[in-house]
Amino acid sequence: MFSKSTLVAFALAAVAAAAPLAPATVTVCSGSLNPPNGCVTVPVVSDSCVNLTGGLSFLNKEISNAQVPGGFVCTFFEDFGCLNGGQNEHDVAVLTGGSWAFSHVQGISGTQNFNDLTSSFSCSPV
């Protein structure tokens, strides 16, 4: 009824469908990305706010570098709760996929120094 190559194709498709996809992660560092210094890898949960509290509190107001996965945009906030203060256009940094030194990142009104300012962040697919 089916040829051997058809059965092999079905088997390979079933294995590929069952294999879990690796979750996207953001790496944030209080020091350098390369070599890694004070870095933590955080899974990306789309549109979920990550507050730098609890086990991440050592990074609060300490992030100097980040690696954002390709296909994602991450917004880093000066305040907890992923809130933009509204009055200060320099309290948010918006980063796309790549490696970033927070001393020179894209903000709402252009390039800014966001070093040691982050208290929360949120990421989503582009």
Side-chain angles (χ1 to χ4, degrees):
M1 183 159 149
F2 292 106
S3 70
K4 286 183 184 179
S5 61
T6 303
L7 291 175
V8 169
F10 282 135
L12 290 174
V15 169
L21 297 175
T25 59
V26 174
T27 301
V28 290
C29 306
S30 59
S32 64
L33 273 168
N34 192 13
N37 181 12
C39 297
V40 173
T41 301
V42 181
V44 172
V45 178
S46 186
D47 297 321
S48 178
C49 182
V50 176
N51 285 303
L52 300 178
T53 58
L56 297 175
S57 62
F58 76 97
L59 288 169
N60 185 41
K61 305 289 188 196
E62 295 293 329
I63 293 179
S64 296
N65 290 279
Q67 174 75 45
V68 176
F72 284 83
V73 60
C74 294
T75 305
F76 293 80
F77 299 86
E78 194 170 341
D79 295 325
F80 290 114
C82 296
L83 300 173
N84 178 351
Q87 303 289 10
N88 184 357
E89 58 194 25
H90 298 288
D91 61 357
V92 174
V94 181
L95 309 179
T96 56
S99 299
W100 296 92
F102 277 46
S103 60
H104 194 78
V105 295
Q106 186 63 39
I108 292 173
S109 64
T111 304
Q112 64 185 12
N113 182 348
F114 210 70
N115 192 50
D116 296 343
L117 294 178
T118 302
S119 287
S120 61
F121 68 92
S122 177
C123 300
S124 59
V126 174

